[in-house]
Amino acid sequence: MKNMKKLLLSLGLVLVLILTACGDDSDNADSNDDAGESTPETISEEMEYTITGIEPGAGMSGVIDDMIENEENLQGWTHQTSSTGAMLTELDQAIQNEEPIVIAAWSPHYMFAKYDIKYLEDPNELFGGEEDVLKLGRLGFEEDFPIAAEIVRNFYLEIDVIEAALLDSQEQEISVPEVVETWVVDNEDIVNEFTDGVAEGSGETIELVVTSWDSELFPAYVLKHALEGHGFTVNVTKVDPAIMFESIASGSADVTTAAWLPLTHGAFAERYEGEYIEMGPAYEKAKTGLAVPTYVELDSISDLVPNE
Ligand code: PBE
């Protein structure tokens, strides 16, 4: 009985929707809420001149703040920061309602596999193009832990591998460290490459700092596994990018795998120049930018218009 009621209700709803859609077609010839007639002006306005961002402490949040301050076409825009989770919820809701939204996006992340979204072109390279995600060590790390440092230097992952693992984590609803547990068993050959021919450690503890985005947790936990399989103990501490740099520079942490350079964490790298060593990329071809659902008729950041 209840189901029948539900069915009738949904049928009624569908009918109403069809009728509304037809009505729209015939009258309202000059309305511009038709997807086909949206202009950059109306889209920017519908977005309330707001970029839906992530954590205020993220490197890319600083990049977006600078952009709003300096770019003519973003004058009067708001950068709404909160958290990655909140941004994804807003994206999800906007897509369900087919409303325009512009978000802070990056790769690797599962958002591009889960949602039909596209990066806005970035003709002025405001986000700096492709980036390396670098391993950094504290001064003296290589001298104090030469074996561990050799494994850290050998450590490298292909970005596709990370992307696939993040998607697994999302689809199976398991945390990234848990995904790593099975990944290292299935990919022993990759893990062994990091330690092949390297002497064993003898129980030394390595302090690894990392930011808490999944794109960073995956490499960090794979490295932890490789080091722990080779005689070390690894403490992973999750911190903001600012603290990550500060703790490497002050020597309270030994190593990180999560420095996005040259741009995203460029301000931190500059502040602590000379107070850390670069140990090569953990992965390459990372990217940050602004993204919109594919139904939003904008192609480029320069299509956004000022709020005046
Ligand atoms: N991210 C993901 C981070 C680094 C990793 C791009 C959101 C940021 O600091 O912006």
Side-chain angles (χ1 to χ4, degrees):
M1 189 58 205
K2 223 175 165 189
N3 281 344
M4 190 63 180
K5 227 177 175 177
K6 255 194 191 160
L7 184 67
L8 285 175
L9 264 177
S10 358
L11 277 178
L13 191 63
V14 169
L15 206 64
V16 169
L17 286 176
I18 294 174
L19 288 175
T20 332
C22 292
D24 250 13
D25 257 350
S26 45
D27 32 77
N28 261 348
D30 57 1
S31 100
N32 53 12
D33 54 28
D34 219 2
E37 290 172 35
S38 302
T39 63
E41 287 75 19
T42 51
I43 299 173
S44 292
E45 195 183 340
E46 280 172 48
M47 289 168 166
E48 293 173 358
Y49 306 97
T50 299
I51 294 170
T52 304
I54 54 169
E55 289 77 359
M60 67 177 304
S61 297
V63 173
I64 294 172
D65 284 342
D66 288 349
M67 241 168 68
I68 289 182
E69 204 175 306
N70 301 322
E71 295 305 300
E72 293 280 312
N73 67 317
L74 292 175
Q75 291 313 297
W77 276 65
T78 304
H79 178 204
Q80 179 196 310
T81 54
S82 53
S83 69
T84 297
M87 178 278 283
L88 291 169
T89 305
E90 290 209 25
L91 173 66
D92 196 285
Q93 278 168 5
I95 289 178
Q96 282 182 39
N97 303 325
E98 251 198 68
E99 284 165 356
I101 185 170
V102 57
I103 58 160
W106 65 98
S107 318
H109 192 281
Y110 68 77
M111 65 179 111
F112 288 91
K114 182 169 179 191
Y115 299 108
D116 276 330
I117 57 175
K118 60 183 180 190
Y119 276 113
L120 291 179
E121 285 159 28
D122 180 13
N124 301 326
E125 299 230 327
L126 301 170
F127 288 98
E130 282 184 355
E131 295 201 275
D132 289 338
V133 179
L134 296 182
K135 300 166 285 185
L136 307 180
R138 66 165 168 86
L139 299 181
F141 171 56
E142 290 193 294
E143 291 75 20
D144 295 343
F145 300 108
I147 302 173
E150 197 177 344
I151 297 172
V152 169
R153 280 207 179 267
N154 289 343
F155 178 76
Y156 177 82
L157 292 173
E158 295 292 340
I159 189 169
D160 302 350
V161 163
I162 302 174
E163 202 114 58
L166 301 189
L167 193 56
D168 265 5
S169 146
Q170 202 270 324
E171 282 175 348
Q172 299 174 38
E173 294 178 25
I174 49 179
S175 73
V176 167
E178 280 174 306
V179 169
V180 170
E181 278 175 34
T182 23
W183 188 89
V184 291
V185 175
D186 298 342
N187 296 276
E188 235 186 329
D189 48 333
I190 299 183
V191 179
N192 287 341
E193 277 174 28
F194 310 140
T195 53
D196 266 355
V198 185
E200 290 267 334
S202 38
E204 301 94 325
T205 299
I206 307 295
E207 298 294 338
L208 176 64
V209 274
V210 68
T211 58
S212 29
W213 290 281
D214 289 350
S215 48
E216 316 317 312
L217 292 180
F218 184 77
Y221 277 87
V222 173
L223 176 59
K224 171 183 163 77
H225 176 89
L227 284 164
E228 294 197 331
H230 222 63
F232 294 92
T233 300
V234 178
N235 291 332
V236 176
T237 308
K238 297 175 218 166
V239 293
D240 275 357
I243 307 295
M244 177 173 90
F245 274 84
E246 193 275 329
S247 54
I248 295 288
S250 70
S252 64
D254 294 307
V255 68
T256 180
T257 47
W260 282 51
L261 290 167
L263 189 85
T264 304
H265 295 158
F268 304 120
E270 219 170 277
R271 186 175 319 156
Y272 296 107
E273 209 192 322
E275 298 178 62
Y276 59 83
I277 49 163
E278 283 196 15
M279 303 185 74
Y283 63 96
E284 296 164 300
K285 298 182 192 151
K287 188 173 156 60
T288 62
L290 298 183
V292 296
T294 46
Y295 55 76
V296 175
E297 293 181 25
L298 298 174
D299 297 318
S300 167
I301 296 175
S302 47
D303 291 340
L304 301 171
V305 302
N307 177 11
E308 39 204 20

